[in-house]
PDB file of all heavy atoms in Angstrom:
ATOM      1  N   ALA A   1       0.844  -1.228  -0.012  1.00 96.00           N
ATOM      2  CA  ALA A   1       0.021  -0.002   0.020  1.00 96.00           C
ATOM      3  C   ALA A   1       0.877   1.252   0.016  1.00 96.00           C
ATOM      4  O   ALA A   1       0.452   2.303  -0.497  1.00 96.00           O
ATOM      5  CB  ALA A   1      -0.937   0.015   1.210  1.00 96.00           C
ATOM      6  N   LYS A   2       2.074   1.114   0.546  1.00 96.00           N
ATOM      7  CA  LYS A   2       2.985   2.300   0.600  1.00 96.00           C
ATOM      8  C   LYS A   2       4.085   2.154  -0.530  1.00 96.00           C
ATOM      9  O   LYS A   2       4.993   3.037  -0.489  1.00 96.00           O
ATOM     10  CB  LYS A   2       3.631   2.376   1.935  1.00 96.00           C
ATOM     11  CG  LYS A   2       2.722   2.703   3.109  1.00 96.00           C
ATOM     12  CD  LYS A   2       3.390   2.805   4.402  1.00 96.00           C
ATOM     13  CE  LYS A   2       2.411   3.172   5.500  1.00 96.00           C
ATOM     14  NZ  LYS A   2       3.078   3.327   6.840  1.00 96.00           N
ATOM     15  N   ASN A   3       3.985   1.165  -1.347  1.00 97.00           N
ATOM     16  CA  ASN A   3       4.974   0.986  -2.412  1.00 97.00           C
ATOM     17  C   ASN A   3       6.410   0.980  -1.814  1.00 97.00           C
ATOM     18  O   ASN A   3       7.322   1.545  -2.444  1.00 97.00           O
ATOM     19  CB  ASN A   3       4.901   2.060  -3.443  1.00 97.00           C
ATOM     20  CG  ASN A   3       3.559   1.976  -4.251  1.00 97.00           C
ATOM     21  OD1 ASN A   3       2.950   0.932  -4.340  1.00 97.00           O
ATOM     22  ND2 ASN A   3       3.138   3.117  -4.737  1.00 97.00           N
ATOM     23  N   THR A   4       6.588   0.305  -0.685  1.00 97.00           N
ATOM     24  CA  THR A   4       7.831   0.336  -0.021  1.00 97.00           C
ATOM     25  C   THR A   4       8.244  -1.088   0.526  1.00 97.00           C
ATOM     26  O   THR A   4       7.403  -1.797   1.005  1.00 97.00           O
ATOM     27  CB  THR A   4       7.853   1.323   1.153  1.00 97.00           C
ATOM     28  OG1 THR A   4       7.477   2.627   0.637  1.00 97.00           O
ATOM     29  CG2 THR A   4       9.218   1.407   1.794  1.00 97.00           C
ATOM     30  N   ALA A   5       9.526  -1.407   0.351  1.00 98.00           N
ATOM     31  CA  ALA A   5      10.086  -2.614   1.012  1.00 98.00           C
ATOM     32  C   ALA A   5      11.112  -2.149   2.031  1.00 98.00           C
ATOM     33  O   ALA A   5      11.636  -1.063   1.964  1.00 98.00           O
ATOM     34  CB  ALA A   5      10.736  -3.504  -0.069  1.00 98.00           C
ATOM     35  N   TYR A   6      11.292  -3.054   2.994  1.00 98.00           N
ATOM     36  CA  TYR A   6      12.222  -2.743   4.108  1.00 98.00           C
ATOM     37  C   TYR A   6      13.210  -3.867   4.346  1.00 98.00           C
ATOM     38  O   TYR A   6      12.928  -5.019   4.009  1.00 98.00           O
ATOM     39  CB  TYR A   6      11.381  -2.559   5.343  1.00 98.00           C
ATOM     40  CG  TYR A   6      10.303  -1.501   5.264  1.00 98.00           C
ATOM     41  CD1 TYR A   6       9.012  -1.892   4.987  1.00 98.00           C
ATOM     42  CD2 TYR A   6      10.576  -0.151   5.454  1.00 98.00           C
ATOM     43  CE1 TYR A   6       7.985  -0.961   4.845  1.00 98.00           C
ATOM     44  CE2 TYR A   6       9.536   0.765   5.287  1.00 98.00           C
ATOM     45  CZ  TYR A   6       8.272   0.387   4.996  1.00 98.00           C
ATOM     46  OH  TYR A   6       7.292   1.296   4.834  1.00 98.00           O
ATOM     47  N   LEU A   7      14.303  -3.452   4.928  1.00 98.00           N
ATOM     48  CA  LEU A   7      15.295  -4.473   5.382  1.00 98.00           C
ATOM     49  C   LEU A   7      15.701  -4.028   6.859  1.00 98.00           C
ATOM     50  O   LEU A   7      16.393  -3.039   6.988  1.00 98.00           O
ATOM     51  CB  LEU A   7      16.520  -4.594   4.524  1.00 98.00           C
ATOM     52  CG  LEU A   7      17.532  -5.640   4.909  1.00 98.00           C
ATOM     53  CD1 LEU A   7      16.882  -7.032   4.749  1.00 98.00           C
ATOM     54  CD2 LEU A   7      18.786  -5.511   4.181  1.00 98.00           C
ATOM     55  N   GLN A   8      15.198  -4.701   7.819  1.00 98.00           N
ATOM     56  CA  GLN A   8      15.542  -4.470   9.216  1.00 98.00           C
ATOM     57  C   GLN A   8      16.774  -5.218   9.501  1.00 98.00           C
ATOM     58  O   GLN A   8      16.802  -6.492   9.365  1.00 98.00           O
ATOM     59  CB  GLN A   8      14.437  -4.895  10.144  1.00 98.00           C
ATOM     60  CG  GLN A   8      14.707  -4.680  11.619  1.00 98.00           C
ATOM     61  CD  GLN A   8      14.828  -3.229  12.047  1.00 98.00           C
ATOM     62  OE1 GLN A   8      13.964  -2.406  11.618  1.00 98.00           O
ATOM     63  NE2 GLN A   8      15.848  -2.939  12.788  1.00 98.00           N
ATOM     64  N   MET A   9      17.824  -4.499   9.929  1.00 98.00           N
ATOM     65  CA  MET A   9      19.089  -5.173  10.220  1.00 98.00           C
ATOM     66  C   MET A   9      19.445  -4.947  11.665  1.00 98.00           C
ATOM     67  O   MET A   9      19.605  -3.844  12.161  1.00 98.00           O
ATOM     68  CB  MET A   9      20.200  -4.486   9.354  1.00 98.00           C
ATOM     69  CG  MET A   9      19.864  -4.546   7.863  1.00 98.00           C
ATOM     70  SD  MET A   9      21.200  -3.941   6.772  1.00 98.00           S
ATOM     71  CE  MET A   9      21.289  -2.267   7.283  1.00 98.00           C
ATOM     72  N   ASN A  10      19.528  -6.083  12.389  1.00 98.00           N
ATOM     73  CA  ASN A  10      19.863  -6.065  13.833  1.00 98.00           C
ATOM     74  C   ASN A  10      21.240  -6.804  14.004  1.00 98.00           C
ATOM     75  O   ASN A  10      21.639  -7.567  13.153  1.00 98.00           O
ATOM     76  CB  ASN A  10      18.758  -6.744  14.588  1.00 98.00           C
ATOM     77  CG  ASN A  10      17.420  -6.022  14.468  1.00 98.00           C
ATOM     78  OD1 ASN A  10      17.388  -4.852  14.372  1.00 98.00           O
ATOM     79  ND2 ASN A  10      16.378  -6.811  14.424  1.00 98.00           N
ATOM     80  N   GLY A  11      21.787  -6.577  15.114  1.00 98.00           N
ATOM     81  CA  GLY A  11      23.041  -7.310  15.423  1.00 98.00           C
ATOM     82  C   GLY A  11      24.130  -7.061  14.359  1.00 98.00           C
ATOM     83  O   GLY A  11      24.816  -7.956  13.981  1.00 98.00           O
ATOM     84  N   LEU A  12      24.276  -5.841  13.911  1.00 98.00           N
ATOM     85  CA  LEU A  12      25.162  -5.467  12.808  1.00 98.00           C
ATOM     86  C   LEU A  12      26.600  -5.791  13.202  1.00 98.00           C
ATOM     87  O   LEU A  12      26.988  -5.544  14.378  1.00 98.00           O
ATOM     88  CB  LEU A  12      24.965  -4.104  12.311  1.00 98.00           C
ATOM     89  CG  LEU A  12      23.724  -3.878  11.491  1.00 98.00           C
ATOM     90  CD1 LEU A  12      23.365  -2.396  11.376  1.00 98.00           C
ATOM     91  CD2 LEU A  12      23.980  -4.455  10.067  1.00 98.00           C
ATOM     92  N   LYS A  13      27.353  -6.271  12.219  1.00 97.00           N
ATOM     93  CA  LYS A  13      28.758  -6.593  12.407  1.00 97.00           C
ATOM     94  C   LYS A  13      29.645  -5.755  11.428  1.00 97.00           C
ATOM     95  O   LYS A  13      29.082  -5.325  10.378  1.00 97.00           O
ATOM     96  CB  LYS A  13      29.006  -8.095  12.107  1.00 97.00           C
ATOM     97  CG  LYS A  13      28.129  -9.062  12.886  1.00 97.00           C
ATOM     98  CD  LYS A  13      28.342 -10.439  12.405  1.00 97.00           C
ATOM     99  CE  LYS A  13      27.461 -11.471  13.248  1.00 97.00           C
ATOM    100  NZ  LYS A  13      27.644 -12.832  12.740  1.00 97.00           N
ATOM    101  N   PRO A  14      30.875  -5.556  11.721  1.00 97.00           N
ATOM    102  CA  PRO A  14      31.690  -4.738  10.796  1.00 97.00           C
ATOM    103  C   PRO A  14      31.714  -5.372   9.370  1.00 97.00           C
ATOM    104  O   PRO A  14      31.786  -4.656   8.393  1.00 97.00           O
ATOM    105  CB  PRO A  14      33.055  -4.878  11.398  1.00 97.00           C
ATOM    106  CG  PRO A  14      32.802  -4.919  12.857  1.00 97.00           C
ATOM    107  CD  PRO A  14      31.571  -5.766  12.976  1.00 97.00           C
ATOM    108  N   GLU A  15      31.569  -6.701   9.270  1.00 97.00           N
ATOM    109  CA  GLU A  15      31.619  -7.359   7.975  1.00 97.00           C
ATOM    110  C   GLU A  15      30.298  -7.094   7.137  1.00 97.00           C
ATOM    111  O   GLU A  15      30.190  -7.524   5.977  1.00 97.00           O
ATOM    112  CB  GLU A  15      31.861  -8.819   8.055  1.00 97.00           C
ATOM    113  CG  GLU A  15      31.030  -9.576   9.071  1.00 97.00           C
ATOM    114  CD  GLU A  15      31.642  -9.724  10.412  1.00 97.00           C
ATOM    115  OE1 GLU A  15      32.292  -8.733  10.929  1.00 97.00           O
ATOM    116  OE2 GLU A  15      31.535 -10.807  11.019  1.00 97.00           O
ATOM    117  N   ASP A  16      29.290  -6.535   7.807  1.00 98.00           N
ATOM    118  CA  ASP A  16      28.108  -6.102   7.096  1.00 98.00           C
ATOM    119  C   ASP A  16      28.270  -4.748   6.325  1.00 98.00           C
ATOM    120  O   ASP A  16      27.320  -4.360   5.612  1.00 98.00           O
ATOM    121  CB  ASP A  16      26.833  -5.973   8.064  1.00 98.00           C
ATOM    122  CG  ASP A  16      26.490  -7.284   8.654  1.00 98.00           C
ATOM    123  OD1 ASP A  16      26.466  -8.298   7.913  1.00 98.00           O
ATOM    124  OD2 ASP A  16      26.178  -7.311   9.856  1.00 98.00           O
ATOM    125  N   THR A  17      29.381  -4.111   6.528  1.00 98.00           N
ATOM    126  CA  THR A  17      29.634  -2.883   5.849  1.00 98.00           C
ATOM    127  C   THR A  17      29.639  -3.118   4.336  1.00 98.00           C
ATOM    128  O   THR A  17      30.369  -3.943   3.807  1.00 98.00           O
ATOM    129  CB  THR A  17      31.010  -2.261   6.307  1.00 98.00           C
ATOM    130  OG1 THR A  17      30.963  -1.963   7.698  1.00 98.00           O
ATOM    131  CG2 THR A  17      31.398  -1.089   5.466  1.00 98.00           C
ATOM    132  N   ALA A  18      28.833  -2.286   3.627  1.00 98.00           N
ATOM    133  CA  ALA A  18      28.665  -2.490   2.182  1.00 98.00           C
ATOM    134  C   ALA A  18      27.700  -1.414   1.701  1.00 98.00           C
ATOM    135  O   ALA A  18      27.014  -0.707   2.484  1.00 98.00           O
ATOM    136  CB  ALA A  18      28.124  -3.854   1.856  1.00 98.00           C
ATOM    137  N   VAL A  19      27.584  -1.313   0.363  1.00 98.00           N
ATOM    138  CA  VAL A  19      26.477  -0.595  -0.208  1.00 98.00           C
ATOM    139  C   VAL A  19      25.398  -1.542  -0.413  1.00 98.00           C
ATOM    140  O   VAL A  19      25.551  -2.644  -1.023  1.00 98.00           O
ATOM    141  CB  VAL A  19      26.888   0.056  -1.582  1.00 98.00           C
ATOM    142  CG1 VAL A  19      25.767   0.729  -2.254  1.00 98.00           C
ATOM    143  CG2 VAL A  19      28.075   1.059  -1.363  1.00 98.00           C
ATOM    144  N   TYR A  20      24.228  -1.201   0.058  1.00 98.00           N
ATOM    145  CA  TYR A  20      23.030  -2.084  -0.025  1.00 98.00           C
ATOM    146  C   TYR A  20      22.125  -1.578  -1.175  1.00 98.00           C
ATOM    147  O   TYR A  20      21.814  -0.379  -1.202  1.00 98.00           O
ATOM    148  CB  TYR A  20      22.311  -2.083   1.336  1.00 98.00           C
ATOM    149  CG  TYR A  20      22.963  -2.937   2.350  1.00 98.00           C
ATOM    150  CD1 TYR A  20      24.215  -2.544   2.930  1.00 98.00           C
ATOM    151  CD2 TYR A  20      22.499  -4.176   2.671  1.00 98.00           C
ATOM    152  CE1 TYR A  20      24.895  -3.353   3.798  1.00 98.00           C
ATOM    153  CE2 TYR A  20      23.095  -4.979   3.630  1.00 98.00           C
ATOM    154  CZ  TYR A  20      24.339  -4.613   4.173  1.00 98.00           C
ATOM    155  OH  TYR A  20      24.941  -5.364   5.044  1.00 98.00           O
ATOM    156  N   TYR A  21      21.716  -2.536  -1.994  1.00 98.00           N
ATOM    157  CA  TYR A  21      20.859  -2.155  -3.142  1.00 98.00           C
ATOM    158  C   TYR A  21      19.528  -2.960  -3.003  1.00 98.00           C
ATOM    159  O   TYR A  21      19.421  -4.127  -2.638  1.00 98.00           O
ATOM    160  CB  TYR A  21      21.537  -2.685  -4.402  1.00 98.00           C
ATOM    161  CG  TYR A  21      22.832  -2.002  -4.691  1.00 98.00           C
ATOM    162  CD1 TYR A  21      24.068  -2.591  -4.293  1.00 98.00           C
ATOM    163  CD2 TYR A  21      22.913  -0.896  -5.499  1.00 98.00           C
ATOM    164  CE1 TYR A  21      25.279  -1.956  -4.545  1.00 98.00           C
ATOM    165  CE2 TYR A  21      24.111  -0.238  -5.761  1.00 98.00           C
ATOM    166  CZ  TYR A  21      25.266  -0.822  -5.273  1.00 98.00           C
ATOM    167  OH  TYR A  21      26.468  -0.192  -5.622  1.00 98.00           O
ATOM    168  N   CYS A  22      18.493  -2.285  -3.433  1.00 98.00           N
ATOM    169  CA  CYS A  22      17.168  -2.782  -3.623  1.00 98.00           C
ATOM    170  C   CYS A  22      16.997  -3.226  -5.041  1.00 98.00           C
ATOM    171  O   CYS A  22      17.492  -2.479  -5.979  1.00 98.00           O
ATOM    172  CB  CYS A  22      16.129  -1.767  -3.241  1.00 98.00           C
ATOM    173  SG  CYS A  22      14.453  -2.283  -3.457  1.00 98.00           S
ATOM    174  N   SER A  23      16.299  -4.324  -5.307  1.00 98.00           N
ATOM    175  CA  SER A  23      16.076  -4.787  -6.670  1.00 98.00           C
ATOM    176  C   SER A  23      14.633  -5.303  -6.820  1.00 98.00           C
ATOM    177  O   SER A  23      14.030  -5.608  -5.780  1.00 98.00           O
ATOM    178  CB  SER A  23      17.080  -5.863  -7.017  1.00 98.00           C
ATOM    179  OG  SER A  23      16.948  -6.913  -6.095  1.00 98.00           O
ATOM    180  N   ALA A  24      14.200  -5.342  -8.039  1.00 97.00           N
ATOM    181  CA  ALA A  24      12.867  -5.784  -8.313  1.00 97.00           C
ATOM    182  C   ALA A  24      12.713  -6.510  -9.656  1.00 97.00           C
ATOM    183  O   ALA A  24      13.486  -6.228 -10.620  1.00 97.00           O
ATOM    184  CB  ALA A  24      11.841  -4.587  -8.233  1.00 97.00           C
ATOM    185  N   VAL A  25      11.801  -7.433  -9.692  1.00 96.00           N
ATOM    186  CA  VAL A  25      11.466  -8.128 -10.973  1.00 96.00           C
ATOM    187  C   VAL A  25      10.072  -8.538 -10.961  1.00 96.00           C
ATOM    188  O   VAL A  25       9.444  -8.838  -9.910  1.00 96.00           O
ATOM    189  CB  VAL A  25      12.421  -9.361 -11.119  1.00 96.00           C
ATOM    190  CG1 VAL A  25      12.124 -10.405 -10.039  1.00 96.00           C
ATOM    191  CG2 VAL A  25      12.196  -9.986 -12.523  1.00 96.00           C
ATOM    192  N   ASP A  26       9.398  -8.447 -12.140  1.00 94.00           N
ATOM    193  CA  ASP A  26       7.949  -8.694 -12.185  1.00 94.00           C
ATOM    194  C   ASP A  26       7.636  -9.949 -12.925  1.00 94.00           C
ATOM    195  O   ASP A  26       6.489 -10.145 -13.360  1.00 94.00           O
ATOM    196  CB  ASP A  26       7.249  -7.528 -12.798  1.00 94.00           C
ATOM    197  CG  ASP A  26       7.686  -7.268 -14.214  1.00 94.00           C
ATOM    198  OD1 ASP A  26       8.682  -7.886 -14.677  1.00 94.00           O
ATOM    199  OD2 ASP A  26       7.026  -6.449 -14.887  1.00 94.00           O
ATOM    200  N   LYS A  27       8.592 -10.886 -13.128  1.00 89.00           N
ATOM    201  CA  LYS A  27       8.364 -12.093 -13.833  1.00 89.00           C
ATOM    202  C   LYS A  27       8.913 -13.255 -13.069  1.00 89.00           C
ATOM    203  O   LYS A  27       9.696 -13.113 -12.170  1.00 89.00           O
ATOM    204  CB  LYS A  27       8.870 -12.067 -15.299  1.00 89.00           C
ATOM    205  CG  LYS A  27      10.350 -11.820 -15.362  1.00 89.00           C
ATOM    206  CD  LYS A  27      10.786 -11.764 -16.797  1.00 89.00           C
ATOM    207  CE  LYS A  27      12.317 -11.605 -16.894  1.00 89.00           C
ATOM    208  NZ  LYS A  27      12.725 -10.275 -16.538  1.00 89.00           N
ATOM    209  N   GLY A  28       8.546 -14.442 -13.488  1.00 86.00           N
ATOM    210  CA  GLY A  28       9.098 -15.643 -12.850  1.00 86.00           C
ATOM    211  C   GLY A  28       8.331 -16.050 -11.631  1.00 86.00           C
ATOM    212  O   GLY A  28       7.198 -15.621 -11.405  1.00 86.00           O
ATOM    213  N   TYR A  29       8.943 -16.880 -10.793  1.00 85.00           N
ATOM    214  CA  TYR A  29       8.329 -17.418  -9.610  1.00 85.00           C
ATOM    215  C   TYR A  29       9.192 -17.235  -8.394  1.00 85.00           C
ATOM    216  O   TYR A  29      10.332 -16.962  -8.472  1.00 85.00           O
ATOM    217  CB  TYR A  29       8.113 -18.946  -9.781  1.00 85.00           C
ATOM    218  CG  TYR A  29       7.166 -19.232 -10.959  1.00 85.00           C
ATOM    219  CD1 TYR A  29       7.740 -19.465 -12.196  1.00 85.00           C
ATOM    220  CD2 TYR A  29       5.817 -19.358 -10.802  1.00 85.00           C
ATOM    221  CE1 TYR A  29       6.942 -19.804 -13.337  1.00 85.00           C
ATOM    222  CE2 TYR A  29       5.005 -19.625 -11.867  1.00 85.00           C
ATOM    223  CZ  TYR A  29       5.547 -19.833 -13.134  1.00 85.00           C
ATOM    224  OH  TYR A  29       4.746 -20.147 -14.200  1.00 85.00           O
ATOM    225  N   GLY A  30       8.545 -17.244  -7.256  1.00 87.00           N
ATOM    226  CA  GLY A  30       9.293 -17.061  -6.009  1.00 87.00           C
ATOM    227  C   GLY A  30      10.101 -18.283  -5.744  1.00 87.00           C
ATOM    228  O   GLY A  30       9.768 -19.419  -6.142  1.00 87.00           O
ATOM    229  N   GLY A  31      11.169 -18.111  -4.997  1.00 90.00           N
ATOM    230  CA  GLY A  31      12.052 -19.171  -4.621  1.00 90.00           C
ATOM    231  C   GLY A  31      13.416 -18.661  -4.182  1.00 90.00           C
ATOM    232  O   GLY A  31      13.738 -17.475  -4.330  1.00 90.00           O
ATOM    233  N   PRO A  32      14.288 -19.568  -3.710  1.00 91.00           N
ATOM    234  CA  PRO A  32      15.579 -19.112  -3.240  1.00 91.00           C
ATOM    235  C   PRO A  32      16.508 -18.563  -4.332  1.00 91.00           C
ATOM    236  O   PRO A  32      17.504 -17.847  -4.029  1.00 91.00           O
ATOM    237  CB  PRO A  32      16.214 -20.409  -2.660  1.00 91.00           C
ATOM    238  CG  PRO A  32      15.411 -21.499  -3.269  1.00 91.00           C
ATOM    239  CD  PRO A  32      14.056 -20.994  -3.487  1.00 91.00           C
ATOM    240  N   TRP A  33      16.107 -18.800  -5.607  1.00 93.00           N
ATOM    241  CA  TRP A  33      16.894 -18.179  -6.721  1.00 93.00           C
ATOM    242  C   TRP A  33      16.780 -16.636  -6.723  1.00 93.00           C
ATOM    243  O   TRP A  33      17.482 -15.995  -7.404  1.00 93.00           O
ATOM    244  CB  TRP A  33      16.474 -18.726  -8.104  1.00 93.00           C
ATOM    245  CG  TRP A  33      14.989 -18.753  -8.243  1.00 93.00           C
ATOM    246  CD1 TRP A  33      14.165 -17.761  -8.653  1.00 93.00           C
ATOM    247  CD2 TRP A  33      14.196 -19.867  -7.959  1.00 93.00           C
ATOM    248  NE1 TRP A  33      12.875 -18.183  -8.672  1.00 93.00           N
ATOM    249  CE2 TRP A  33      12.856 -19.499  -8.207  1.00 93.00           C
ATOM    250  CE3 TRP A  33      14.388 -21.155  -7.471  1.00 93.00           C
ATOM    251  CZ2 TRP A  33      11.756 -20.377  -8.037  1.00 93.00           C
ATOM    252  CZ3 TRP A  33      13.310 -22.014  -7.335  1.00 93.00           C
ATOM    253  CH2 TRP A  33      12.040 -21.628  -7.592  1.00 93.00           C
ATOM    254  N   LEU A  34      15.837 -16.124  -5.923  1.00 95.00           N
ATOM    255  CA  LEU A  34      15.738 -14.690  -5.831  1.00 95.00           C
ATOM    256  C   LEU A  34      16.872 -14.054  -5.107  1.00 95.00           C
ATOM    257  O   LEU A  34      16.972 -12.851  -4.963  1.00 95.00           O
ATOM    258  CB  LEU A  34      14.440 -14.262  -5.113  1.00 95.00           C
ATOM    259  CG  LEU A  34      13.145 -14.568  -5.937  1.00 95.00           C
ATOM    260  CD1 LEU A  34      11.952 -14.291  -5.105  1.00 95.00           C
ATOM    261  CD2 LEU A  34      13.155 -13.711  -7.195  1.00 95.00           C
TER     262      LEU A  34
END
C-alpha cells in the first residue's frame, strides 16, 4: 500500500559494511533463486 520494501538489520557486524541495493523483478516465480 505504501509501495515500499524494508530491510531491518539487527546485530550488525563490521563485515556487514557495504552498499546495499534494492532490486525488483515482475516475472518468474518465488524461490531461493531470488
Side-chain angles (χ1 to χ4, degrees):
K2 295 183 178 180
N3 294 334
T4 304
Y6 305 96
L7 184 67
Q8 177 67 44
M9 306 187 294
N10 300 324
L12 283 162
K13 306 174 181 179
E15 51 264 44
D16 293 319
T17 295
V19 177
Y20 283 71
Y21 298 89
C22 176
S23 58
V25 63
D26 62 349
K27 58 182 184 287
Y29 298 91
W33 47 85
L34 290 175

